[in-house]
Amino acid sequence: MAEELPSVEKVSISGATLASLLQRFASSHGDVDGLLFGHLSPLPPPPTHDDDDPPIPSPSSSSSAAAAAASITGLFVSGSPMSFYDPLGRVDLPTLCLSAASAGASAASVVGWFSARRRSPLRPSMRELAVSLSLSQAPALALPADGSPPRDPRPCVFLLLSSSATANLAVHTHEYRAFVLRPDPSGGSLVPRSLDVINVGPAFRAQYGSFSPESPLPWMPHRPRGAEEKEGDGRGKRGESLSRQRSAAREQRMLDAVTEGFGVERLEKLVGPAAVEYTSQLEDLYGKMLLKLESLARQVEKSSARVLEQENRNLLMRSKLAGLE
Amino acid sequence: MAAADPSLPPQIAAQLNYLLSHSPLPFKVDQIWSGCKNGRFSDRFSLLVPFCLDFVKWDVIYNALFPAAAPDFVFAPDDDGFRPLGGGGKGGGAPAENSSSSLCDWNCRDPARLLAVVHELRDSYAQYQKKRVEELDDARLKFEISTILSREGIEVCVVSPPDRPAEVKFAVPLLDLDFDKLVREYPWKHQQKIFLQVVYPVSRSYSSIPSAPRIKLVSTSDLKALFSIEDVKLPPWLDGMCMAEYLPTVEDNLKVQVVEAVASIGQRRRFIEALSPLFGRPLEADPVFCRKATVLAISGVFTFLIHFSIPIQFPKQQPILTLQSSQHFNSQGTPILSPPINDYPWSPRWDPAKMVERIFDFLVDECLNFKKYCNDAIPQQQ
């Protein structure tokens, strides 16, 4: 059953993702858990020396336990504990898919999960092991590792976080540890792996060099120059469906609203040799950009204040419900 | 065994209190602390689980903000092979369904739930330790396990201290005596038992003669008022012996002594009853094990108390008397006590009335000494 399972040798996480995870944990009132998104990539086979790492004995071939690296690129923080699994640690697939969807990711890109609990030992708990096991055996989540067909037991990365603070709150300690599920005859165990934090800096230049964007861009219909004038009579000629045209027009309107008068034609003038004459226009452009940024910042500020307010209200209600007040 | 911390949410506190007060096993709570940001409510504690005549420490993790959620457990670092939910779970991502079924349909309003879960986990832990011992490559241990492990209530565990070779500890409950029935009057808080603790060194070489195990008798703490385990002399362990041979002799030996100890309660009771004709009704007496009695005595105008402390081996050993003055106080304001007295005439063959009579005669003179002692000891006032 587990012969084809690649053994995850390296786990990496982008600095921003880790920072966001730590921040979510630090600002939460209690324990936090959630899903980790990312991808697996095969590692080149190790040089031919005996590895001290004892792989699962498999009858087929020695290369079956191919090494892989897991990269964590995103996360979903569930609002309440045990949202996508039950007290026995059994993963509830529909909830998991919903959770993933609400984070804008597909359930297929789930590489594992995390659990953050304050002032507790940095060892996987009974339920955490069970959840990891259940997640790796969940059938519906096909993991596009290298274009291979979906496997049944899949690798599962588990990130365990713990934090503590001194009595006067002067020193906060954040600890984290990454684990990888290793199946064995008695089910599976979580073995610790070091966690590489991908960050800005010379050590990660290669990573940036090899970067290829993977996030989906909205589909934009190709418009040849001058298409706008012909739009009116293009309908009958090309025989496009009405709805498609409508949606294209809607997208164009949205795009126009965002550009605020700085259409493609105008921008073209700004970069050509005649740009010198348009200095004032360029300043205008920057001015508008700055204004937009400021209003965005204000919006963010207001909404976070509202979020905080709501969170405090939730906390109060929850305490009342639990009979704490 | 203090009651649960007041800052635990009420439902969690109820479950913990129920566990501490209703379990036949002496669970203990080591520490209670909070995992919340503001630290106002506690929601985690370390539970000391009695196992194999020792305790294992489990961290129980609740969530104060969601007290209705089922707790989670973090086991000791060297028990990472203990996976009660993840053992052998195969199809469909369902971990072992048989274990911890009380977790499955968790109901936070049922205070007995935590007790049920902890007991289930402790049972799986016992199985896990048994498996670990069975996997050891030691011929003698394999033999012992095959012959003895069917005995009810037996527990085994592997002890591997970092600086010493590994050992295997057996905790064998001895005698099928029901102390609840033997001493009916006493509300035993926990199950009372006497265990034989046998510790074998794990030897991997087959040629060498295995060394004898370390043997010790252990009793639950409440039994100490009835029976002194230290006074039992264990038969010697002969070379090449196994537990199945050794246990019957120990048990026979022990049974006689326990029966004697229970019979001794009756003798002590008759002694206390014999006190009243001469000394008057005791002010205070231990009605269960009859180990203590106090009477009030008067000699002239001197009033004092006599405390009788009656040993477990009662008629063989005489009671220890302590006199306490009702009229003399030391500088701290506490009554003056005599040193313990046990050098008065005594014979275990006397009947209780005669014993009391001789003590009375002895005290008629002794109380005068005590009065003098009190007058000397009293702080010189003005």
Side-chain angles (χ1 to χ4, degrees):
Chain A
M1 72 180 209
E3 282 80 6
E4 288 297 313
L5 189 63
S7 74
V8 176
E9 296 301 327
K10 283 172 79 175
V11 180
S12 59
I13 186 168
S14 73
T17 311
L18 181 65
S20 129
L21 177 55
L22 288 176
Q23 206 276 333
R24 286 298 297 263
F25 178 33
S27 61
S28 79
H29 291 276
D31 298 347
V32 174
D33 60 11
L35 297 168
L36 296 174
F37 304 110
H39 54 265
L40 284 184
S41 40
L43 280 178
T48 51
H49 63 74
D50 278 341
D51 211 341
D52 53 355
D53 181 30
I56 327 128
S58 76
S60 54
S61 70
S62 60
S63 67
S64 64
S71 322
I72 300 164
T73 52
L75 58 106
F76 164 77
V77 181
S78 68
S80 59
M82 286 196 264
S83 60
F84 58 93
Y85 53 91
D86 70 358
L88 282 182
R90 289 174 300 197
V91 166
D92 180 40
L93 274 180
T95 328
L96 184 126
C97 293
L98 269 180
S99 306
S102 73
S106 80
S109 61
V110 173
V111 277
W113 71 296
F114 71 90
S115 170
R117 37 180 166 86
R118 281 198 182 81
R119 301 182 63 203
S120 60
L122 214 56
R123 294 192 298 276
S125 73
M126 171 180 87
R127 190 183 299 132
E128 283 157 1
L129 174 66
V131 172
S132 306
L133 214 74
S134 170
L135 202 59
S136 86
Q137 288 167 345
L141 311 175
L143 200 79
D146 40 358
S148 54
R151 289 183 267 254
D152 205 23
R154 298 169 302 107
C156 175
V157 176
F158 172 60
L159 211 57
L160 180 59
L161 295 95
S162 178
S163 80
S164 54
T166 51
N168 58 359
L169 300 178
V171 184
H172 291 255
T173 314
H174 294 278
E175 293 172 288
Y176 55 82
R177 229 170 146 189
F179 297 87
V180 167
L181 187 76
R182 168 177 293 170
D184 60 28
S186 69
S189 58
L190 286 167
V191 286
R193 286 273 178 272
S194 67
L195 183 67
D196 288 333
V197 182
I198 302 166
N199 245 324
V200 185
F204 296 93
R205 192 138 293 159
Q207 222 122 13
Y208 277 87
S210 66
F211 174 75
S212 59
E214 284 180 19
S215 57
L217 271 171
W219 177 77
M220 284 200 255
H222 175 68
R223 291 170 172 278
R225 275 188 67 75
E228 269 159 76
E229 299 95 77
K230 288 180 193 166
E231 200 173 1
D233 48 37
R235 187 194 310 156
K237 230 188 270 173
R238 279 189 270 165
E240 275 179 339
S241 77
L242 200 65
S243 65
R244 189 154 168 198
Q245 275 201 19
R246 269 209 201 113
S247 77
R250 197 169 53 237
E251 273 166 19
Q252 186 60 47
R253 266 202 303 284
M254 270 167 66
L255 210 62
D256 287 345
V258 174
T259 55
E260 290 186 353
F262 282 91
V264 180
E265 299 78 25
R266 205 164 155 202
L267 282 177
E268 257 178 358
K269 286 183 199 146
L270 295 184
V271 290
V276 204
E277 294 156 38
Y278 294 95
T279 330
S280 67
Q281 283 205 28
L282 206 61
E283 276 171 0
D284 190 24
L285 173 69
Y286 285 143
K288 274 185 173 162
M289 281 169 139
L290 281 176
L291 262 175
K292 197 176 281 178
L293 276 179
E294 265 170 36
S295 82
L296 267 177
R298 260 196 303 279
Q299 271 182 31
V300 167
E301 201 184 315
K302 267 187 212 153
S303 66
S304 6
R306 235 173 286 154
V307 165
L308 186 71
E309 216 173 275
Q310 187 58 46
E311 267 189 355
N312 285 339
R313 232 172 316 177
N314 287 355
L315 186 70
L316 212 68
M317 264 157 62
R318 227 161 20 217
S319 315
K320 261 185 205 154
L321 201 70
L324 296 178
E325 297 294 326
Chain B
M1 201 192 302
D5 195 83
S7 67
L8 277 173
Q11 290 166 358
I12 301 176
Q15 292 171 28
L16 180 57
N17 282 331
Y18 188 93
L19 168 70
L20 295 179
S21 54
H22 285 72
S23 174
L25 299 163
F27 285 93
K28 285 182 197 163
V29 172
D30 188 28
Q31 207 189 351
I32 300 181
W33 71 96
S34 168
C36 292
K37 194 180 179 188
N38 56 16
R40 255 179 80 198
F41 296 108
S42 301
D43 53 0
R44 37 206 72 181
F45 50 88
S46 32
L47 191 66
L48 296 178
V49 181
F51 176 73
C52 210
L53 302 178
D54 203 349
F55 288 94
V56 282
K57 193 165 127 185
W58 294 350
D59 288 330
V60 184
I61 298 184
Y62 276 95
N63 190 335
L65 300 177
F66 296 87
D72 198 3
F73 294 82
V74 180
F75 304 114
D78 39 349
D79 283 332
D80 58 342
F82 177 46
R83 306 165 205 155
L85 290 185
K90 249 187 164 180
E97 313 237 337
N98 50 353
S99 67
S100 290
S101 50
S102 301
L103 264 184
C104 190
D105 51 343
W106 181 258
N107 174 9
C108 64
R109 295 185 194 283
D110 177 3
R113 216 34 95 87
L114 178 66
L115 172 84
V117 169
V118 168
H119 274 231
E120 279 165 20
L121 285 176
R122 190 183 171 280
D123 288 347
S124 351
Y125 187 74
Q127 289 299 318
Y128 154 75
Q129 284 289 359
K130 186 181 149 203
K131 215 170 146 213
R132 277 184 72 190
V133 173
E134 282 169 344
E135 281 164 2
L136 288 174
D137 185 24
D138 182 313
R140 176 168 62 166
L141 282 172
K142 279 194 194 309
F143 177 76
E144 291 288 13
I145 285 167
S146 63
T147 52
I148 205 85
L149 219 54
S150 56
R151 225 179 135 102
E152 202 182 329
I154 198 165
E155 287 177 345
V156 283
C157 68
V158 181
V159 188
S160 42
D163 48 346
R164 277 186 293 131
E167 292 174 330
V168 169
K169 181 159 83 176
F170 286 74
V172 190
L174 295 176
L175 305 178
D176 204 10
L177 291 177
D178 192 348
F179 288 98
D180 288 350
K181 286 201 185 115
L182 283 174
V183 188
R184 274 174 198 282
E185 300 85 347
Y186 189 64
W188 299 101
K189 199 161 179 190
H190 299 293
Q191 216 173 330
Q192 299 303 315
K193 277 230 145 74
I194 300 172
F195 295 91
L196 186 71
Q197 175 184 296
V198 187
V199 180
Y200 286 99
V202 178
S203 63
R204 290 205 160 70
S205 56
Y206 291 84
S207 54
S208 68
I209 299 154
S211 52
R214 297 200 309 275
I215 310 164
K216 196 174 121 188
L217 276 176
V218 183
S219 77
T220 41
S221 59
D222 285 359
L223 275 185
K224 291 196 171 86
L226 170 70
F227 183 65
S228 165
I229 209 80
E230 288 80 23
D231 297 340
V232 179
K233 204 169 172 292
L234 283 169
W237 180 280
L238 306 173
D239 269 350
M241 217 175 187
C242 70
M243 257 197 279
E245 290 173 300
Y246 186 75
L247 286 176
T249 18
V250 178
E251 281 196 310
D252 291 348
N253 194 344
L254 201 60
K255 195 159 195 165
V256 174
Q257 301 196 33
V258 169
V259 169
E260 261 177 27
V262 173
S264 164
I265 298 179
Q267 285 172 306
R268 291 197 291 264
R269 176 168 292 124
R270 281 193 290 283
F271 174 77
I272 291 176
E273 283 162 0
L275 287 173
S276 41
L278 282 172
F279 288 96
R281 270 184 76 80
L283 296 179
E284 224 175 28
D286 162 14
V288 180
F289 300 115
C290 304
R291 297 282 309 276
K292 277 192 178 99
T294 300
V295 294
L296 186 68
I298 302 170
S299 158
V301 288
F302 179 45
T303 318
F304 59 98
L305 297 173
I306 309 164
H307 301 292
F308 293 86
S309 166
I310 313 169
I312 287 171
Q313 295 88 352
F314 164 62
K316 279 181 219 150
Q317 284 178 20
Q318 64 208 91
I320 297 166
L321 312 181
T322 315
L323 308 185
Q324 178 186 335
S325 171
S326 309
Q327 293 160 342
H328 303 81
F329 300 90
N330 66 10
S331 51
Q332 277 91 44
T334 49
I336 295 176
L337 282 169
S338 76
I341 306 165
N342 63 349
D343 53 353
Y344 54 88
W346 182 260
S347 163
R349 283 180 294 277
W350 292 339
D351 63 57
K354 172 98 171 162
M355 290 172 181
V356 174
E357 194 191 319
R358 297 298 294 258
I359 293 175
F360 188 85
D361 291 348
F362 167 76
L363 285 176
V364 167
D365 296 332
E366 183 61 25
C367 73
L368 297 176
N369 294 338
F370 178 55
K371 191 179 174 187
K372 189 169 175 293
Y373 173 81
C374 289
N375 283 329
D376 291 347
I378 202 162
Q380 296 304 312
Q381 288 163 341
Q382 293 174 344

